[in-house]
Structures are given as C-alpha cells and as structure tokens.
Amino acid sequence: MARTVVLYSHRGGTGKSTMLANMAVLLAAEGRRVAVVDTDIQSPTLDVLFGLGPGECSLTDYLLGRCEIEDAAHRVGPEGVHLVPARTSPASLAEIMATGYDVGLLPEAFDRLVAGHDLDVLLLDTHAGLNNETVTAMASADLLVIVVRTDRIDLAGAGEIARLAGQLACRRALVVSMAPEGVDTSAVRARAEDAYGAATAGILPYVGRLAALGGERIFARAHPDDPLVAEFRKIISVLVPPVHKIPAG
Ligand SMILES: Nc1ncnc2c1ncn2[C@@H]1O[C@H](COP(=O)(O)OP(=O)(O)OP(=O)(O)O)[C@@H](O)[C@H]1O
Ligand SMILES: [Mg+2]
C-alpha cells in the first residue's frame, strides 16, 4: 500500500524541497515507485530542481481544469521519479488566485496518482506555514514530516501544528535541518520534540557543498558518497522502511 508523506515547516527555507528531492531519487534508486507533487503554487521549486522545462502541464493546470492529473505527472531523470510540478508558467498563479479552485480536486489527484502509477511512496512538498494546499496535503498524509532548523523561531508555530496534526491523526516525525557545526544537537532535538510532540527521525547538518550547488543538481546525484546522503538514507529507513511482501501460498 502506498504511503503518502508530507514535508511541512512553519517557516520557509528549512530545506524541505531539498530533502524531498533527495528522498525521491534515493527511494526510486532502491526500486520503489515514487511520485512527488509540488503543492507550493506560490513558490514552486521541484520543477527547477528536477530540470523540467517551462510550459509543461502542471498541478495548477489540472486545478484550473486544463489537463488531467495523469498528464501533469512527468517522468524525470534516470531513477524514474514521477513529478507533478506546481506550475510552469507565472501567468497561471494570477489566474488561480483570481478564480480559485475546487479544493476536493487535490485529494482526488493524489488518489489517482497512487492508483495510476501503483505507487509505493507519494511525496508532497508544501508551502511553509498554513494555506489551502498545505492543509489539504496534510489531511491526505499517512506521515507528516516537520522540518525545523535549530533556530528557536522555527518552533514558534509548533502548538498550532501539533493540534492540527492531532486532529488529522496522521503519524508525525521531525527532521532537524541545517544544524550548524558545534550546535548541541541533543538539546535541539529535545526542544523540538517537546514543542511538536513528535520523535526525531534525523538531524541533517548544514553542508556548504550543498548550498554551493545552488539548486543546479540534486545533491544525492552530484555527491552520492557524501555523508549527508548517508543521513538522507537513514531518514528514509526510519520514515519509509520497505514493505516486505509476504509471498502468497
Ligand atoms: N543541509 C543543508 N545545508 C546547506 N544548505 C541547505 C541544506 N538544505 C537545504 N539547503 C539550501 O537552503 C536553501 C533552502 O532550501 P529549500 O528550498 O530546500 O527549503 P524549503 O524549506 O523548501 O524552502 P521554502 O519554504 O521556500 O519552500 C536552498 O538554497 C538549499 O540549497
Ligand atoms: Mg520548498
């Protein structure tokens, strides 16, 4: 059965899209069927990270009734990840903000992608904070991954999210991201776990080599042997362990 994993953060720039893109290629390289949906219509990222050209059919086009969600899922890269970009033209943002859309189309899209591609994992990227797309993605999640930096302000919205996630009854996990060298990671972990009421699946260091890539390539492809990639793999093994199928008979 597919697992829907949503990456969320209270504030922007915590490393969600980076982590999601790396998880996607590493999961797919293990042979899992993976799709990713960029629900961040305001500030899309995944089309750029995965090198998708402009003008391709997107989530926004689907929400505006211009294409089917199946047409918006593009196979990107050698690992075979399917990507639904948030939007690939600036004009569609103004249009969707003016017209709105039927919010029920989002969960329908997630269900159709899971069924159509017989997915093992559906990864949903979100805009920071709470908006329609983010809350709808969270409502579809089996697992909500909250990405926080060691910065105290990242914990500010914790109460709100913990309450919302409690109502949604999905599993919750934390990832501490961009931990600076020398920071007291156990203190950070304890503070974040206390604030969000979730266990920490991993702590990702701040890696200058990643920042220097400037979004040109996905880190796990560019530097497969870097210790950060090993950390991504550890997080995957905690969050989305492979399901061992029991042979029939
Ligand atoms: N572990 C890391 N070490 C150093 N730089 C990182 C790390 N993770 C991400 N970055 C860099 O930080 C920036 C923000 O990352 P990213 O876009 O993934 O964050 P985000 O949470 O998706 O942001 P937004 O909220 O705007 O969607 C990017 O330039 C990325 O390359
Ligand atoms: Mg992002």
Side-chain angles (χ1 to χ4, degrees), residues 58-59 62 67-73 84 108-110 112-113:
S58 68
L59 181 67
Y62 159 75
C67 69
E68 300 297 332
I69 193 64
E70 290 77 7
D71 303 322
V84 178
E108 184 187 323
F110 305 148
R112 277 166 58 180
L113 288 167

Side-chain angles (χ1 to χ4, degrees), residues 29-112:
E30 282 179 6
R32 296 207 254 169
R33 289 180 297 272
V34 181
V36 305
V37 181
D38 191 349
T39 73
D40 191 348
I41 290 170
Q42 282 92 336
S43 40
T45 309
L46 296 180
D47 55 322
V48 180
L49 273 179
F50 280 100
L52 197 69
E56 297 284 0
C57 189
S58 68
L59 181 67
T60 306
D61 295 312
Y62 159 75
L63 295 174
L64 289 169
R66 297 217 177 98
C67 69
E68 300 297 332
I69 193 64
E70 290 77 7
D71 303 322
H74 308 276
R75 200 184 142 102
V76 281
E79 302 86 1
V81 171
H82 282 88
L83 163 68
V84 178
R87 66 182 158 86
T88 51
S89 98
S92 56
L93 175 62
E95 195 176 340
I96 203 161
M97 283 176 76
T99 60
Y101 65 89
D102 171 3
V103 87
L105 286 170
L106 278 172
E108 184 187 323
F110 305 148
D111 289 345
R112 277 166 58 180

Side-chain angles (χ1 to χ4, degrees), residues 186-199:
S186 38
V188 169
R189 174 196 286 254
R191 223 167 41 208
E193 291 189 350
D194 184 46
Y196 283 101

Side-chain angles (χ1 to χ4, degrees), residues 120-191:
D120 296 312
V121 185
L122 176 65
L123 295 168
L124 305 181
D125 198 8
T126 62
H127 190 64
L130 296 174
N131 67 11
N132 270 345
E133 294 79 55
T134 299
V135 173
T136 309
M138 286 164 77
S140 300
D142 299 304
L143 171 66
L144 177 67
V145 181
I146 301 160
V147 184
V148 292
R149 285 165 298 202
T150 57
D151 188 320
R152 203 166 62 83
I153 306 168
D154 275 16
L155 305 182
E160 211 170 56
I161 295 309
R163 270 193 303 280
L164 183 58
Q167 283 167 25
L168 299 173
C170 58
R171 265 200 319 133
R172 245 176 292 172
L174 278 173
V175 170
V176 176
S177 175
M178 300 191 206
E181 211 180 317
V183 79
D184 181 349
T185 47
S186 38
V188 169
R189 174 196 286 254
R191 223 167 41 208

Side-chain angles (χ1 to χ4, degrees), residues 9 11-19 40 43 45 125-128 177-178 204-208 210-211 214-215 228:
S9 69
R11 292 169 78 217
T14 56
K16 298 179 294 298
S17 303
T18 303
M19 183 177 141
D40 191 348
S43 40
T45 309
D125 198 8
T126 62
H127 190 64
S177 175
M178 300 191 206
L204 299 171
Y206 182 88
V207 175
L210 194 167
L228 180 65

